[in-house]
Amino acid sequence: MTWKHPSSPVTKKFKVQRPAAKVKATVFWDAKGVILLDILPQGQCINAARYCSTLDRLKEAIRRKRPGLLRRGVVLQHDNATPHSANLTQQWLQRYGWEILPHPAHRPDLAPSDFHLFGPLKRHLGGMAFETEDDLISELRNWFDNLDVDFFQFAAVALAKMHRSPRGLR
């Protein structure tokens, strides 16, 4: 109980809203579009075992969506986060012969997902409110599914040019 003077203004009560849950997604894409959108279940964290499981799902998605690519060779770019550089992950990549495209530190221009995908995605989702996590995931899938192939081709060509450039990987 609070004691106040009779002429004191009425105390305002604010409605407390539950903060929005974060959705962690890993997106694998190429010049033709998204190959796999992997959503991490709430409460789980990405470790090497989880990442290798995601790579297993990516391998199956490539088999379905890009026939022949597994035979020609997969080139993957990921950063040096612990799950990506862990021995378990490195063994997985060696077993399947996937090539890793170097990802130099402090070069956001060589992380196409960071600047090419997630910037426009943030702008698209800005100001939206979702009732459930499933609503947000549905919107994510819808946004990725409706991107034009030119969107992905532009980023893939820019990345290839940067890696061929003599200054590109410094």
Side-chain angles (χ1 to χ4, degrees):
M1 179 183 229
T2 306
W3 294 96
K4 296 192 230 176
H5 189 274
S7 63
S8 295
V10 176
T11 305
K12 292 181 181 179
K13 292 185 179 180
F14 294 94
K15 185 177 180 181
V16 178
Q17 291 182 342
R18 198 177 70 155
K22 289 187 178 188
V23 172
K24 295 177 186 171
T26 304
V27 182
F28 295 93
W29 58 277
D30 66 4
K32 296 179 182 178
V34 172
I35 299 171
L36 177 69
L37 173 61
D38 186 61
I39 307 295
L40 187 69
Q42 286 291 332
Q44 287 191 19
C45 48
I46 299 173
N47 57 27
R50 168 67 188 178
Y51 190 62
C52 288
S53 173
T54 299
L55 291 175
D56 286 333
R57 285 191 296 285
L58 174 60
K59 191 170 67 122
E60 288 308 310
I62 291 171
R63 183 172 283 125
R64 280 191 328 274
K65 294 181 177 182
R66 307 290 189 269
L69 180 59
L70 291 173
R71 278 190 314 278
R72 290 191 307 268
V74 174
V75 179
L76 180 68
Q77 183 183 41
H78 56 205
D79 58 22
N80 61 355
T82 303
H84 303 165
S85 59
N87 285 338
L88 184 64
T89 303
Q90 295 307 308
Q91 291 167 1
W92 191 102
L93 294 167
Q94 286 175 352
R95 179 175 45 233
Y96 294 108
W98 289 17
E99 180 184 345
I100 299 300
L101 195 60
H103 185 277
H106 312 296
R107 288 294 306 267
D109 57 328
L110 291 178
S113 292
D114 290 350
F115 76 90
H116 190 71
L117 278 185
F118 296 130
L121 177 59
K122 280 182 175 181
R123 286 189 293 279
H124 172 74
L125 295 175
M128 291 185 179
F130 299 95
E131 292 290 321
T132 66
E133 180 182 329
D134 287 341
D135 291 343
L136 172 56
I137 291 170
S138 176
E139 183 61 30
L140 283 174
R141 291 188 191 287
N142 187 44
W143 187 78
F144 282 117
D145 288 345
N146 286 309
L147 288 174
D148 189 79
V149 71
D150 291 342
F151 181 87
F152 296 99
Q153 287 175 345
F154 174 79
V157 168
L159 180 65
K161 283 181 184 176
M162 182 62 73
H163 277 279
R164 283 192 302 260
S165 163
R167 299 177 328 199
L169 296 177
R170 288 190 193 148

